[in-house]
Amino acid sequence: MEKHSARAKEFVALGLLTAVLALCGALRPRDLHSQNSSTLAFSWADAEKLEVLPKDDIFFTNNEAQFILKIPKTLPSDVQTELPNFPEGVTFNSSKKSDYITKEGNAGTEVDLWFTFRQTGNFAFSPLVIYVKGRRYVIKFKPVEVYENPRTINPRLIVVFDGGETITADAKKTPTLTLESDKAARFTIYLQYALQAQQYAWNIPKDSLFTEIKRYTEKNAPRKSSDFTTEKVPISYFEWTPFTTGTTSLPEIKMMVTAYSGRSVYLTTPECIVTIVPQKKDAQAKSGQEQGSVYAYAFAQDTSENKEKEKNTFSPFDCAEIARLRSLERRAVLSLPKIRAQRIQAERAAGITHSDNEPNYCLFFAILGANVLLVLLAILFFIFKKRFEAAVLGIAALGALFLTALAANSVLKRYGVVVGGEISPIPEESAITKSAVNGGSRVLIKEETHDWYYIVYNENGGWIKKENLAAIK
């Protein structure tokens, strides 16, 4: 009986196993068929929505560029590609097919294509031909613009007049421009294909008025070398009024800039033939009434400015004395008004009529102490459950904290008095460009080396020899 019972159990188990296998075999084809019919049904409507897209927004010469085509509802084994004819200056490198999953969870195929552009310009490829399960589809490429490699591209200055005339250095022939004498012409200097303008200066044209109206310092913020842009960055806005007729050139504006390669490049305004013609009679008569006194004042002011520059010739002793008085002004307590008056008198004797006061350490510590006291009082009132008084003192403490931050920002900065001389973009006497600094000027010291200070003067930075500056301590 036991043998018959064991054998019966074996037959029952074998029967159950056979039934399960039969059920799995019956369900599996149905599931796969359902998947193929629901997720792998690629159609003409799907193909019309496709486009071969560039991976990046900007392409450069001699760099590998990638294009991507995502085909939904397909498997890589069902997709074949037929490469098109490529434009001149384009080299095909390689291609690859791989799986990808859509946001809806459906299977798809990604086709990656890699090219190298040897030339700059706008490129439009012939359509890409693909076959999905033997059916032929034509997919368009998105056109792209290719730029010169940033590491080899040269920065350039662009001059744009208010009338729309644009002067660039890469023109095939020297551009020409016609202006009227005694009539102001305004233009903007733009910088393109560069990371930043380090510093710049200009020479005032002969027989004319030349004024910087606006400087776009916020537009010329330092950028990373990877942040390539073709945007023209405005640097300065100028007004130029020539007085004599004839042929001349644009005012010379010299600029040291940082290229995308990291090197420093020296630039000047583009070459241009400027013809100055007499102003029209009607405009000249009106101009004479409205601007004649202005020109006379300008020339008179120029003479006075020249006299002022002659007067502002400082000796190292004068600058050292002013720097000493400013150092005392920083640390004075009760004698602060007296020392400040002595410093102002010394500056006026040297020809300086306007100057900033030095931040005072004692005033800073007084504001800091008041801030700490207000915070402690606010905490004590809060502990003794006097909420209203604690809130008032807390608000006062916040105001004192703001004043403390302002005072700290002033006190912690280093300043110096310039004897005279020139600043350069690099701490070397052999620097290509230099700009003059007026003697007696109070400047901000940012850093220093063994023989040089890096200072900020009139919103421009540069290096100056230590012997030409008296530091305020």
Side-chain angles (χ1 to χ4, degrees), residues 35-47 49-50 69-79 98-110 130-133 137:
Q35 183 184 11
N36 288 333
S37 61
S38 63
T39 63
L40 302 181
F42 185 76
S43 63
W44 290 103
D46 296 321
K49 299 176 183 178
L50 298 182
L69 171 63
K70 292 186 176 181
I71 310 171
K73 306 175 184 179
T74 60
L75 296 174
S77 58
D78 295 331
V79 176
S98 58
D99 297 297
Y100 87 97
I101 303 299
T102 65
K103 295 180 180 179
E104 295 78 15
N106 299 326
T109 299
E110 178 177 319
I130 65 171
Y131 294 88
V132 179
K133 292 186 177 181
Y137 302 93

Side-chain angles (χ1 to χ4, degrees), residues 369-384 386 389-394 397:
N371 188 28
V372 173
L373 180 62
L374 287 172
V375 171
L376 293 176
L377 289 175
I379 294 174
L380 287 175
F381 277 105
F382 184 80
I383 292 173
F384 288 105
K386 295 184 177 182
E389 291 83 353
V392 172
L393 289 172

Side-chain angles (χ1 to χ4, degrees), residues 18-313:
T18 304
V20 171
L21 291 175
L23 181 61
C24 291
L27 292 176
R28 186 178 177 185
R30 186 181 305 169
D31 293 341
L32 290 175
H33 176 73
S34 175
Q35 183 184 11
N36 288 333
S37 61
S38 63
T39 63
L40 302 181
F42 185 76
S43 63
W44 290 103
D46 296 321
E48 290 178 352
K49 299 176 183 178
L50 298 182
E51 187 177 14
V52 185
L53 300 175
K55 182 180 179 182
D56 301 313
D57 296 330
I58 299 177
F59 286 157
F60 304 113
T61 57
N62 301 318
N63 275 8
E64 195 168 58
Q66 182 179 357
F67 286 76
I68 300 173
L69 171 63
K70 292 186 176 181
I71 310 171
K73 306 175 184 179
T74 60
L75 296 174
S77 58
D78 295 331
V79 176
Q80 289 79 40
T81 58
E82 182 180 302
L83 295 176
N85 295 323
F86 304 121
E88 184 180 354
V90 179
T91 301
F92 172 71
N93 297 338
S94 62
S95 64
K96 184 184 72 171
K97 292 186 298 181
S98 58
D99 297 297
Y100 87 97
I101 303 299
T102 65
K103 295 180 180 179
E104 295 78 15
N106 299 326
T109 299
E110 178 177 319
V111 178
D112 298 298
L113 305 168
W114 286 273
F115 304 92
T116 298
F117 295 92
R118 301 188 304 274
Q119 302 173 3
T120 61
N122 294 307
F123 288 86
F125 290 86
S126 301
L128 177 68
V129 178
I130 65 171
Y131 294 88
V132 179
K133 292 186 177 181
R135 300 188 67 178
R136 185 176 184 271
Y137 302 93
V138 178
I139 312 298
K140 294 182 179 179
F141 275 84
K142 183 177 181 179
V144 296
E145 186 172 2
V146 179
Y147 298 92
E148 189 72 31
N149 195 307
R151 295 192 175 278
T152 60
I153 195 169
N154 290 319
R156 65 173 184 169
L157 291 182
I158 302 174
V159 181
V160 179
F161 282 82
D162 284 0
E165 301 89 348
T166 301
I167 312 299
T168 60
D170 54 357
K172 294 183 179 179
K173 64 177 183 178
T174 304
T176 60
L177 182 69
T178 301
L179 300 176
E180 296 181 5
S181 63
D182 300 322
K183 184 177 180 181
R186 294 188 174 188
F187 61 87
T188 303
I189 292 289
Y190 291 89
L191 178 61
Q192 192 176 31
Y193 307 136
L195 291 173
Q196 185 190 18
Q198 299 174 10
Q199 62 92 20
Y200 67 101
W202 58 86
N203 295 325
I204 298 178
K206 185 180 179 182
D207 299 325
S208 65
L209 283 178
F210 189 67
T211 307
E212 183 185 34
I213 299 176
K214 183 179 181 180
R215 184 173 300 184
Y216 302 89
T217 54
E218 71 284 356
K219 297 288 185 180
N220 190 40
R223 299 189 302 277
K224 298 179 181 178
S225 58
S226 57
D227 298 336
F228 178 80
T229 177
T230 60
E231 177 187 1
K232 297 184 297 184
V233 180
I235 301 298
S236 282
Y237 185 48
F238 292 96
E239 182 178 84
W240 178 32
T241 307
F243 296 132
T244 59
T245 59
T247 302
T248 184
S249 57
L250 291 175
E252 184 184 17
I253 299 174
K254 301 171 288 186
M255 190 176 302
M256 183 68 70
V257 305
T258 304
Y260 278 95
S261 62
R263 61 193 176 93
S264 296
V265 179
Y266 174 72
L267 300 176
T268 60
T269 41
E271 184 179 356
C272 178
I273 300 174
V274 183
T275 303
I276 310 298
V277 299
Q279 190 178 167
K280 295 180 181 179
K281 292 184 179 180
D282 294 341
Q284 193 171 9
K286 184 178 180 180
S287 175
Q289 295 175 359
E290 296 181 354
Q291 302 181 15
S293 60
V294 176
Y295 291 150
Y297 171 75
F299 283 118
Q301 186 180 18
D302 182 65
T303 302
S304 63
E305 288 178 355
N306 289 336
K307 290 181 178 179
E308 186 69 21
K309 288 182 180 179
E310 291 176 1
K311 185 178 180 181
N312 288 348
T313 302

